[in-house]
Amino acid sequence: MKTNPGRFFEDYRMGEVIAHAVPRTVSGGERALYHALYPARHALHSSDEFARACGLPAAPIDDLAAFHVVFGKTVPDISLNAVANLGYAEGRWLKPVYTGDTLRAESTVIGLKENSNGKSGVVWVGTRGINQHGETVLEYVRWVMVRKGDTSSPAPDPVIPKLAASVAPDGLVVPEGLDFSNYDFGLAGEPHRWGDYQVGETIDHVDGVTIEEAEHMLATRLWQNTAKVHFDATFREDGKRLIYGGHVISMARALSFNGLANAQMIVALNGGAHANPCFAGDTVKAWTEVLDKAETSAPGVGALRLRLVATKGGEPFALRGEDGKYLPEVLLDLDYWALIPR
């Protein structure tokens, strides 16, 4: 058999290291398409000259674009037969990705637990994105619910990894040379700096974007994400193609420009949950809560820990019901660190 049906839950083994195909060289096309798909306009990722004024050699591609490239590499081996991607933790961006860099991905199985229905299980993997020099540019943990191919196969001994609640401030990696001492707030689009944000503050990003099938299909193909739930309308009982969760993340991050235009670089992903499915026709809006603040050793650079929530309607700043569960209109709950001028 030459075709690949994808891995099922029973095919994973604890400690297994999976080298993912296919390496990908990043071009300016990634940036252009990313900015076409989302209202992304953070200055550091948009302008080589702005980035050079901030101490970098050129504008890196958007941090989430780099994430999507690496994530897409892992899908054929990790989530081709997934029911859903459940969450993220311990993510760190370690080096900027520039046009001309070639990225590949490698994952290690760090947890397994069969579900009580015996038809699926949860797989935890730690993934690294690696450039052409063998340097790790980003790393993260995610966990996925995967179907069983053979429901009679025995359940593995359950192993649930202990994951950090967040990346500590001293674990944040500031890109070499980054300097916000002479940051141009006029060109960036907003005057707000690190000291203007307070822990506990909430920000309604106001704008919304209605998701369409065409843009979702383009995005999922761009990142070479082959998960069946995103492409095959017959794969779900409701006959709907599930919108790739990363598409919702990038849409919400782009919408957050209105109020967080100077949160220029994502450097850590503390946690994240795709709370409810997103489908074509849903209108995505976003709001943010400031969770924490930290100083860095880089000149003029501070860090904000932010909770980014994407919704499909409802009132801003509403997250969970009285039962403690996410409200049905909440699509995404993402906890991340971003760098901002002080």
Side-chain angles (χ1 to χ4, degrees), residues 29-307:
E30 262 79 10
R31 174 180 289 117
L33 279 171
Y34 188 88
H35 288 204
L37 287 164
Y38 312 105
R41 50 200 172 115
H42 284 88
L44 199 71
H45 297 298
S46 299
S47 166
D48 286 339
E49 292 306 315
F50 189 95
R52 291 188 185 108
C54 294
L56 301 181
I61 70 166
D62 291 70
D63 309 300
L64 288 175
F67 174 82
H68 293 320
V69 170
V70 171
F71 185 100
K73 302 293 96 189
T74 72
V75 170
D77 297 311
I78 305 300
S79 47
L80 192 64
N81 293 307
V83 178
N85 190 65
L86 299 177
Y88 310 92
E90 297 185 356
R92 293 195 305 159
W93 280 254
L94 304 175
K95 283 183 173 293
V97 175
Y98 297 98
T99 56
D101 283 347
T102 297
L103 301 181
R104 59 185 175 90
E106 179 182 283
S107 296
T108 303
V109 179
I110 61 172
L112 292 169
K113 184 181 184 297
E114 184 171 297
N115 290 330
S116 59
N117 62 13
K119 297 179 180 180
S120 61
V122 179
V123 181
W124 285 262
V125 294
T127 295
R128 296 192 302 141
I130 305 164
N131 67 15
Q132 67 273 25
H133 305 297
E135 301 166 327
T136 301
V137 298
L138 66 91
E139 61 186 12
Y140 62 91
V141 172
R142 72 165 170 140
W143 48 105
V144 188
M145 187 185 300
V146 182
R147 289 177 172 84
K148 291 186 71 172
D150 178 6
T151 55
S152 67
S153 62
D157 293 333
V159 177
I160 301 175
K162 293 182 179 179
L163 301 172
S166 65
V167 177
D170 60 6
L172 304 178
V173 177
V174 179
E176 183 178 355
L178 188 68
D179 183 343
F180 284 160
S181 299
N182 297 307
Y183 186 90
D184 192 323
F185 289 88
L187 291 179
E190 285 182 353
H192 317 304
R193 62 179 73 218
W194 185 81
D196 296 324
Y197 294 90
Q198 305 302 319
V199 174
E201 177 181 359
T202 53
I203 305 163
D204 181 2
H205 299 300
V206 181
D207 307 307
V209 175
T210 301
I211 301 293
E212 298 180 359
E213 286 279 18
E215 66 186 18
H216 161 59
M217 287 289 92
L218 179 60
T220 311
R221 293 185 183 112
L222 173 64
W223 313 125
Q224 299 176 325
N225 183 331
T226 57
K228 296 174 185 178
V229 291
H230 304 319
F231 286 94
D232 187 346
T234 68
F235 204 68
R236 289 174 53 91
E237 292 182 359
D238 59 12
K240 296 180 179 181
R241 291 186 290 193
L242 186 68
I243 301 299
Y244 165 44
H247 191 65
V248 178
I249 293 174
S250 280
M251 190 64 72
R253 160 70 172 164
L255 290 172
S256 75
F257 180 91
N258 190 354
L260 283 166
N262 296 315
Q264 290 289 352
M265 301 189 80
I266 297 176
V267 287
L269 179 59
N270 299 305
H274 297 291
N276 288 289
C278 181
F279 300 104
D282 289 342
T283 297
V284 175
K285 294 190 174 185
W287 58 269
T288 290
E289 178 185 3
V290 180
L291 298 178
D292 200 359
K293 300 172 66 174
E295 299 180 1
T296 80
S297 60
V301 179
L304 294 178
R305 183 180 171 189
L306 303 168
R307 163 178 262 166

